[in-house]
Amino acid sequence: MSLVFEFNSDRSVIRLVFALILLALCLLLSVVCVATFVVGAVADPKVELSREVLAALVNYFPDSATVHERLARAELAETVDYEAAASRAEDHASRAVKLSPWDYKLRLLLASAREARGDLKGAEESLREALLLAPNYTEVHWRLANLLVRAGKLDQALGEFRLATSASEELLSTTLALVWRASSGDPAAVEAATSERPKARLELARFLLAQTRVEEAVAIFRRIDRHARLAEEGSGLFLDRLIELGSVKVADQLWQELIVDAASERPLIWNGSFESEIKAALAQFDWKLTSNSFARITLDPNVAHSGRRSLRIDFLGRDTTRLEKEVSQLILLRAGTRYRLTCFVKTRDLVTPEGPEVVLSHPASGWRASSAPVPAGSHDWQPLIFEFVAPAEASALYLQVKRVPRFSYDEPTRGTVWFDDFTLLEIEP
């Protein structure tokens, strides 16, 4: 009987021990779960926690890099007694770095805290340590470049800007403006901060042009691969801006280098027979054709005086018909030189108080020369010829097909007119 009692007693003790162990494990698991939940909540930026709450949590989780990180960020956001808050932020950021030494973002945070305290040298040291951990991260190069500028180390910053903008071209416009100010408007500095990618170099050229540094902008533009310039829409915007600045001859030279075959001689009127495809973004010295409410303007592949096609204008029968800039080409001539312009015109069922004219003009001075109006009716191809002397005050003129009503009202114009084979020749006086 005694042996049985002792055996049962031992089994009871063992059960009690196992129950206590199980309870302890459950409590430990609960603590771990709670801790995991709390730290997870702290790590979630969507969960808003006050600085006071985070300071309390640090006491419970002193070895959590996440809690120290959140508290450091909260301290940096303080506006009262900022110097003391920045010092506390540095302490917590340093602790987070020690607890999680391979997280480059914590070193960025430490750099922010050190800079907030005015320790630019320490901030640079942290950023360079972050760069060792994340050498291919754009954010790190960008942060380091900006710090170096604030530290007066622009020469060192340029290489970091170049790496950052190479990886993220969206940063380029901000970089160019920042470096331009920091360098007191040094073209060499903004060039050093820009990658060799064609799109980036084109944006650099346009930036320099916006600063009216025409010579440097043109030099950058010329060094971009020709095929890349042809492919980039920004090339046309660059040429447009040159023309707006009055550098028409330079724009014309650059346009020729892009469009015109180097082995051929460029005529004074480009694409006078409408055989070449017109690139809308690069039509600065080609035809610009747009319809309006009075006429539909197209290239006709079925009717031509020579070649494959011609310019076609279908008048829509509205009264007081007006054509001004819808058919236009910018051309460069020698001032004071005499020229003869020839083109061929064909009409079908043209009904009009007065037909359209071929006009050369210089709007700024009011100079103008024009052909006779296209005759009404239906006529096969016939030449339209006139001579003029280019004005002394300008070499850039607009060649246009115009119809401007003489009065506030005139009868509707309807029917079709074709133009083809525009040529312009210099003639003896």
Side-chain angles (χ1 to χ4, degrees):
M1 177 67 76
S2 176
L3 289 174
V4 172
F5 176 77
E6 288 179 1
F7 178 74
N8 289 334
S9 178
D10 289 342
R11 289 183 64 184
S12 296
V13 170
I14 291 171
R15 286 174 180 171
L16 179 61
V17 169
F18 272 114
L20 291 172
I21 292 173
L22 183 59
L23 179 60
L25 288 174
C26 289
L27 290 173
L28 179 61
L29 182 60
S30 298
V31 170
V32 171
C33 289
V34 171
T36 302
F37 173 78
V38 171
V39 173
V42 172
D44 187 350
K46 295 179 182 179
V47 177
E48 295 185 7
L49 298 171
S50 68
R51 185 176 65 84
E52 290 73 19
V53 170
L54 289 166
L57 287 173
V58 162
N59 295 325
Y60 287 99
F61 305 103
D63 295 327
S64 170
T66 301
V67 176
H68 283 286
E69 177 190 1
R70 281 294 298 269
L71 183 53
R73 295 189 187 280
E75 295 286 5
L76 286 176
E78 278 292 302
T79 57
V80 178
D81 196 6
Y82 184 71
E83 291 185 6
S87 179
R88 293 193 298 270
E90 182 180 2
D91 291 340
H92 290 292
S94 296
R95 180 62 178 161
V97 166
K98 290 178 182 178
L99 290 168
S100 185
W102 306 114
D103 187 345
Y104 80 95
K105 290 183 179 180
L106 296 177
R107 296 182 189 271
L108 296 181
L109 176 62
L110 180 57
S112 296
R114 286 175 171 173
E115 186 175 359
R117 290 185 56 250
D119 181 10
L120 295 184
K121 182 178 179 181
E124 180 183 342
E125 178 183 334
S126 294
L127 287 172
R128 292 195 182 280
E129 289 172 352
L131 196 61
L132 291 174
L133 294 173
N136 298 319
Y137 278 57
T138 302
E139 179 188 8
V140 184
H141 290 289
W142 177 252
R143 288 278 303 273
L144 178 57
N146 278 270
L147 178 75
L148 290 170
V149 169
R150 292 191 289 273
K153 300 178 181 180
L154 179 61
D155 290 345
Q156 295 181 40
L158 296 178
E160 300 300 329
F161 276 127
R162 189 184 184 97
L163 289 169
T165 57
S166 295
S168 177
E169 292 181 346
E170 291 77 12
L171 295 173
L172 184 56
S173 60
T174 302
T175 297
L176 294 175
L178 192 159
V179 173
W180 186 257
R181 290 194 301 270
S183 66
S184 300
D186 183 2
V190 288
E191 183 174 2
T194 307
S195 75
E196 291 296 330
R197 293 182 179 178
K199 188 173 184 178
R201 304 303 281 186
L202 184 54
E203 186 168 346
L204 170 62
R206 291 178 59 194
F207 175 84
L208 289 172
L209 202 55
Q211 317 309 315
T212 65
R213 301 300 291 262
V214 175
E215 184 176 343
E216 293 90 344
V218 168
I220 295 291
F221 186 82
R222 275 201 165 109
R223 289 200 293 270
I224 301 171
D225 177 75
R226 176 177 175 270
H227 295 290
R229 279 180 284 164
L230 281 170
E232 289 290 344
E233 183 179 350
S235 295
L237 299 175
F238 181 83
L239 296 176
D240 289 338
R241 182 57 181 156
L242 272 177
I243 294 170
E244 290 172 6
L245 291 173
S247 300
V248 183
K249 289 184 178 180
V250 176
D252 181 63
Q253 291 170 1
L254 295 176
W255 185 86
Q256 286 190 63
E257 292 170 10
L258 282 175
I259 303 297
V260 183
D261 185 354
S264 63
E265 183 177 353
R266 178 193 173 186
L268 294 175
I269 298 176
W270 177 252
N271 199 13
S273 297
F274 305 97
E275 300 301 306
S276 300
E277 292 298 326
I278 300 172
K279 300 178 184 294
L282 290 170
Q284 287 74 23
F285 298 92
D286 200 343
W287 294 104
K288 292 185 178 181
L289 308 175
T290 57
S291 298
N292 66 13
S293 60
F294 298 102
R296 184 171 62 252
I297 297 168
T298 57
L299 295 179
D300 192 333
N302 301 311
V303 177
H305 177 258
S306 70
R308 298 176 294 112
R309 58 187 184 180
S310 63
L311 172 67
R312 175 172 175 160
I313 303 176
D314 290 295
F315 291 101
L316 303 178
R318 290 190 59 192
D319 61 69
T320 320
T321 296
R322 180 178 292 272
L323 283 182
E324 293 190 88
K325 298 179 181 180
E326 287 72 21
V327 178
S328 179
Q329 182 175 147
L330 183 60
I331 62 174
L332 270 66
L333 303 179
R334 292 199 302 160
T337 301
R338 190 168 189 83
Y339 294 91
R340 178 184 293 121
L341 188 147
T342 303
C343 68
F344 289 83
V345 62
K346 173 186 173 80
T347 61
R348 184 179 67 195
D349 300 329
L350 179 62
V351 178
T352 179
E354 186 173 67
E357 303 172 328
V358 176
V359 177
L360 278 154
S361 64
H362 183 251
S365 67
W367 180 91
R368 185 180 189 276
S370 66
S371 70
V374 173
S378 297
H379 303 279
D380 202 358
W381 292 106
Q382 54 187 333
L384 199 61
I385 303 171
F386 67 100
E387 295 182 4
F388 64 93
V389 176
E393 63 269 24
S395 60
L397 304 176
Y398 285 96
L399 170 62
Q400 296 167 318
V401 175
K402 287 194 172 189
R403 187 191 186 277
V404 181
R406 292 183 182 273
F407 306 103
S408 59
Y409 172 86
D410 66 10
E411 293 296 323
T413 294
R414 59 175 59 88
T416 303
V417 181
W418 290 267
F419 289 91
D420 202 3
D421 292 340
F422 281 83
T423 58
L424 188 60
L425 299 176
E426 189 175 318
I427 60 176
E428 295 296 329

